[in-house]
Amino acid sequence: MDKNEIIQIKELKKIFPMGKSEFTALNDINLSLGKGEFTGLIGPSGSGKTTLLNIVGSLDTPTSGEAWVLDQSIGKLTAKEAAQLRKKNLGFIFQSYNLLAVHNVFENVEFPLLLLKIGAAERRKMVMDALEWLGLTDKVRSKPPQLSGGECQRVAIARAMVKRPSLVLADEPTANLDAANSHHILQTMVKLNEELKTTFLFATHDEKVIGYLKRKIYLFDGKVAKDEWVTSNQTAK
Amino acid sequence: MTRFLLKGLFYDKSRSRLPIIVVAVGVMLTVFMNAYITGFMGDTIEMNARFTHGHLKVMTKAYAENEGQLPNDLAMTEVSALKEELSGRFPELDWAARIHFGGLVDVPDEQGETRSQGPAAGMGIDLLSPESREAERLNIRESIVRGRMVQNPGEALMADQFSQKLKVNPGDEVTLIGSTMHGSMSMYNFKVAGTVSFGTEALDRGSIILDIEDARLALDMYDAAGELIGLFKTGFYDDTHAMEIAREFNTPFETDGNEYAPVMKSLTQQGSMGQLVKMLDVWSVYIIAVFILAMALVLWNAGLLGGLRRYGEFGVRLAMGEEKNHLYRTLIYESIFIGIAGAIIGTSIGLLFAAWVQEKGINISGLMEGSAMMYPSAIRTRITPADYYIGFIPGLFSTVVGTMLAGIGIYKRKTSQLFKELEA
């Protein structure tokens, strides 16, 4: 694996049993992602983008082939090693935010740091920094039900970014947001990508997201149909 | 992390308050049910104790051997002194002398000729002493169908069914024809003050109740009585203690060949009462076991649903990098906390409620209106040491097992599947 590569996928297959038959979600995928990329897996429902994102996120394992993430082979990781990889290096952003509803904004963002057993003072500083990046310092004590959809997704981004992960995986992050909020969120992520050099990998079919991507990997029926780089003047700002 | 989990537990009503309420209600019902069953079974034994056997009974050895024949010629004498001695030695019991006798009740017409006659089974109990609790013990006042309670010497109560058969009304005078304790014929007139219904055919067919002093006069039993019954002042039979008392009392008389020497028998040593008590014990264990099992299933299910409901949250936590083992452990710690809190609250409320029902009783006399049967007018619970811990079986054990089972899903499902449930 090249030292600038963060993800390398070779001849990856993922087959799900469907009763007596099988469903091939991913078929012969070959990809590599470099550090600092802002890339999207694009395709219609059932194209395999979420499955690929799950494998990269060590939430699932390949049926065959190899998926290397940060020099670790996902298929060979134990559950504990996979949890360690997620805890230290990966951040997740979900379509429906998935904040812990009973905890306030600070506690939601703090949770990944608790798992890393970071001291209270440093934890507080890191959480406040993350909230500042996302413009949420006035919402520290608010709970998710008191926030708008856009604010919830900003909290989710803060939670994903607070530990400064190498890779952020975002599954349809704007699906529940209106256009204005979507653009605001995406601009924030672009800024984080540029300032912190964090790699972002999206699974999406939202045109708004696609407009911000620097690299577009099109999936169709579990295969890479097209992989294209976007020149800087083509991306939305 | 602990603080974070505790905050989550307290903030999330459906994770803490609701399960604690469910567990507390289940435990409260279990504790109360156990106390109720114990009380109910105890009441059945108590009815027998109050009417015939006492918790302990003192008779002469000869009387005890022929008890079924009501052999008053073998009755004890100098009963007052014996009663005083028993009250001094065993102050935890209330002692009362009783005379059971048989005879013929003769009802005269206006000319004094026999109008009707019937065989009677009589009982002489202390109805007139102010300190006597016999009327209360037998629930006589509440069982009067016609007329009133005995208030003066020379008055008696008659089974209502028996009085109707003999066409006797309250205020009528009747004659009891029987035999004295010395074997001679006895005829004694008394006035029927009222009629009562006992609720059992054997008693309603021909019972009469006299004040014990009237019975002594009629049967020539001065300071004598067939039996002295003792009832624990707690109101509940304690077999172990009763057996100890009987053993202590009987020891000096064991080698006494005198057939008039006293002998004390505990409730379970009399007739088939031992079998009945054992049978009731077994039944109560079965009933309580079935109830505990039912409650355990309910709480198990609650624990299971509580865990399943949180699969989404588990998905997020796993995605953040929490290990499955850690997640499973925290889930079990939470359920232990909920189980203990619910069991303590439920046991406390259950005990309080049971104590109230034990003290005050639930008045069911309204339900008995018209039946005129001799039932206790109140249902009472009985708190036993088991009530302090029995609720922890369904409360803690079932909740934790339910949660453990629900948590197995964390291992069985792939993280990505939990994730899907999260997204659903």
Side-chain angles (χ1 to χ4, degrees):
Chain A
M1 201 170 160
D2 190 299
K3 70 175 184 179
N4 278 327
E5 283 180 349
I6 198 163
I7 299 168
Q8 192 177 63
I9 294 164
K10 281 184 181 168
E11 295 167 6
L12 183 95
K13 258 191 181 182
K14 180 68 188 178
I15 299 169
F16 291 109
M18 301 278 282
K20 286 179 182 171
S21 60
E22 289 177 334
F23 171 70
T24 304
L26 295 171
N27 193 5
D28 198 24
I29 302 283
N30 290 286
L31 274 178
S32 65
L33 251 79
K35 286 177 184 169
E37 281 193 22
F38 200 78
T39 300
L41 302 167
I42 304 159
S45 295
S47 59
K49 55 189 189 299
T50 298
T51 304
L52 184 54
L53 207 66
N54 284 342
I55 291 172
V56 170
S58 73
L59 298 169
D60 211 342
T61 49
T63 307
S64 67
E66 289 274 9
W68 291 81
V69 176
L70 293 156
D71 289 331
Q72 297 192 65
S73 173
I74 297 298
K76 290 174 186 164
L77 293 178
T78 62
K80 195 171 180 174
E81 287 166 343
Q84 287 292 322
L85 174 67
R86 289 195 297 272
K87 185 159 70 179
K88 289 178 181 165
N89 302 109
L90 305 183
F92 287 88
I93 299 167
F94 311 105
Q95 174 181 335
S96 47
Y97 331 129
N98 295 322
L99 300 176
L100 301 170
V102 294
H103 291 279
N104 62 31
V105 166
F106 185 93
E107 289 160 351
N108 265 282
V109 178
E110 187 189 27
F111 183 71
L113 304 180
L114 288 171
L115 294 174
L116 287 167
K117 295 181 178 158
I118 291 172
E122 195 186 347
R123 214 164 57 219
R124 181 168 180 78
K125 187 182 176 306
M126 289 171 83
V127 173
M128 291 313 291
D129 282 351
L131 292 175
E132 206 174 318
W133 298 332
L134 276 300
L136 287 164
T137 44
D138 57 333
K139 302 284 180 187
V140 170
R141 299 288 159 214
S142 302
K143 289 190 177 173
Q146 298 166 318
L147 303 175
S148 67
E151 285 169 335
C152 281
Q153 197 59 300
R154 276 153 62 200
V155 175
I157 296 168
R159 183 176 63 181
M161 293 301 300
V162 69
K163 62 188 173 192
R164 306 279 185 100
S166 310
L167 175 63
V168 171
L169 303 168
D171 192 4
E172 306 280 10
T174 55
N176 290 337
L177 300 176
D178 58 29
N181 267 310
S182 296
H183 286 295
H184 186 203
I185 291 294
L186 288 161
Q187 281 160 9
T188 306
M189 288 198 267
V190 168
K191 193 176 141 202
L192 291 168
N193 167 251
E194 287 171 355
E195 288 180 8
L196 303 174
K197 306 294 175 207
T198 307
T199 309
F200 279 78
L201 179 61
F202 294 84
T204 187
H205 58 253
D206 183 348
E207 289 300 330
K208 295 189 289 295
V209 179
I210 295 168
Y212 283 86
L213 297 174
K214 291 172 187 165
R215 182 182 172 192
K216 301 169 187 176
I217 300 168
Y218 289 89
L219 293 177
F220 190 76
D221 280 349
K223 289 183 175 175
V224 176
K226 194 162 72 171
D227 183 353
E228 65 177 24
W229 288 86
V230 181
T231 53
S232 57
N233 58 355
Q234 284 178 297
T235 53
K237 291 282 173 176
Chain B
M1 189 57 146
T2 310
R3 224 173 112 205
F4 179 87
L5 292 169
L6 281 174
K7 269 186 184 176
L9 195 62
F10 287 118
Y11 291 163
D12 189 351
K13 288 178 195 171
S14 55
R15 226 166 106 190
S16 53
R17 260 175 275 181
L18 195 66
I20 286 174
I21 288 169
V22 171
V23 172
V25 168
V27 169
M28 184 195 76
L29 285 172
T30 305
V31 170
F32 182 77
M33 190 68 180
N34 188 52
Y36 172 75
I37 294 281
T38 313
F40 177 78
M41 295 302 185
D43 271 357
T44 309
I45 294 166
E46 290 312 312
M47 286 286 282
N48 281 284
R50 278 185 242 139
F51 275 89
T52 50
H53 299 87
H55 291 147
L56 285 152
K57 190 193 274 188
V58 182
M59 303 158 279
T60 64
K61 286 181 176 177
Y63 186 99
E65 279 173 22
N66 302 285
E67 198 182 347
Q69 297 169 29
L70 309 177
N72 280 326
D73 52 327
L74 303 172
M76 296 176 291
T77 54
E78 297 177 10
V79 168
S80 305
L82 180 57
K83 186 180 163 191
E84 206 169 309
E85 183 200 329
L86 289 169
S87 299
R89 283 178 66 186
F90 309 112
E92 63 271 46
L93 290 129
D94 267 333
W95 294 95
R98 284 184 182 176
I99 297 171
H100 291 277
F101 57 91
L104 193 70
V105 170
D106 182 276
V107 186
D109 62 13
E110 284 158 0
Q111 280 76 44
E113 297 296 326
T114 298
R115 189 181 73 200
S116 56
Q117 265 186 350
M123 184 156 68
I125 57 174
D126 189 353
L127 291 174
L128 296 174
S129 301
E131 72 278 8
S132 171
R133 294 182 59 206
E134 287 283 79
E136 177 195 334
R137 217 167 264 151
L138 302 180
N139 206 31
I140 290 175
R141 280 186 183 84
E142 285 72 26
S143 304
I144 290 173
V145 180
R146 292 181 294 151
R148 59 167 172 77
M149 181 64 183
V150 168
Q151 287 170 350
N152 303 299
E155 291 182 345
L157 294 168
M158 200 171 200
D160 193 58
Q161 189 182 322
F162 188 37
S163 74
Q164 288 185 17
K165 186 179 147 196
L166 298 183
K167 296 187 175 60
V168 173
N169 291 311
D172 288 354
E173 202 159 274
V174 296
T175 304
L176 171 70
I177 303 166
S179 65
T180 68
M181 76 176 287
H182 306 295
S184 54
M185 190 175 173
S186 144
M187 286 205 283
Y188 187 76
N189 292 336
F190 60 88
K191 189 172 137 188
V192 176
T195 65
V196 289
S197 179
F198 296 93
T200 55
E201 181 62 22
L203 291 171
D204 286 340
R205 209 166 40 219
S207 288
I208 52 170
I209 298 174
L210 306 178
D211 177 58
I212 192 161
E213 291 306 326
D214 280 331
R216 281 171 174 157
L217 274 175
L219 307 174
D220 200 10
M221 292 177 70
Y222 175 73
D223 201 18
E227 54 200 47
L228 262 167
I229 65 157
L231 290 143
F232 285 110
K233 287 175 181 168
T234 56
F236 296 109
Y237 179 63
D238 178 348
D239 192 48
T240 313
H241 193 30
M243 297 285 268
E244 276 170 18
I245 290 172
R247 201 176 306 118
E248 185 187 332
F249 182 83
N250 291 332
T251 305
F253 304 107
E254 265 170 13
T255 52
D256 193 336
N258 183 355
E259 64 175 355
Y260 290 100
V263 63
M264 186 184 280
K265 289 194 172 188
S266 71
L267 179 82
T268 51
Q269 289 171 324
Q270 298 175 54
S272 57
M273 282 308 291
Q275 278 176 309
L276 178 71
V277 170
K278 272 184 195 160
M279 195 184 79
L280 290 178
D281 278 349
V282 171
W283 269 91
S284 62
V285 168
Y286 281 151
I287 292 168
I288 289 161
V290 167
F291 187 77
I292 287 176
L293 186 68
M295 284 316 303
L297 288 173
V298 169
L299 296 178
W300 181 326
N301 199 34
L304 199 61
L305 289 175
L308 294 175
R309 191 184 63 81
R310 293 174 60 197
Y311 273 11
E313 176 201 328
F314 301 158
V316 176
R317 286 168 61 178
L318 291 173
M320 297 289 142
E322 190 170 355
E323 285 171 30
K324 285 183 174 182
N325 285 344
H326 184 264
L327 185 61
Y328 191 58
R329 275 202 308 275
T330 61
L331 197 63
I332 292 167
Y333 294 152
E334 280 183 22
S335 72
I336 290 172
F337 174 81
I338 285 162
I340 290 175
I344 290 172
I345 294 168
T347 301
S348 306
I349 298 171
L351 282 172
L352 276 175
F353 189 38
W356 181 75
V357 176
Q358 181 172 292
E359 184 62 28
K360 303 280 182 192
I362 297 172
N363 192 341
I364 55 161
S365 58
L367 298 173
M368 296 299 149
E369 273 175 21
S371 72
M373 289 166 75
M374 193 176 280
Y375 272 107
S377 58
I379 292 174
R380 289 182 193 279
T381 52
R382 183 185 176 190
I383 295 173
T384 55
D387 293 318
Y388 290 88
Y389 59 79
I390 200 161
F392 282 78
I393 300 170
L396 180 58
F397 182 74
S398 306
T399 307
V400 173
V401 170
T403 306
M404 286 169 89
L405 283 177
I408 289 172
I410 296 170
Y411 292 98
K412 281 195 170 177
R413 282 170 167 76
K414 285 193 170 180
T415 308
S416 59
Q417 275 178 295
L418 284 166
F419 225 51
K420 279 177 195 162
E421 285 171 51
L422 167 81
E423 297 282 354

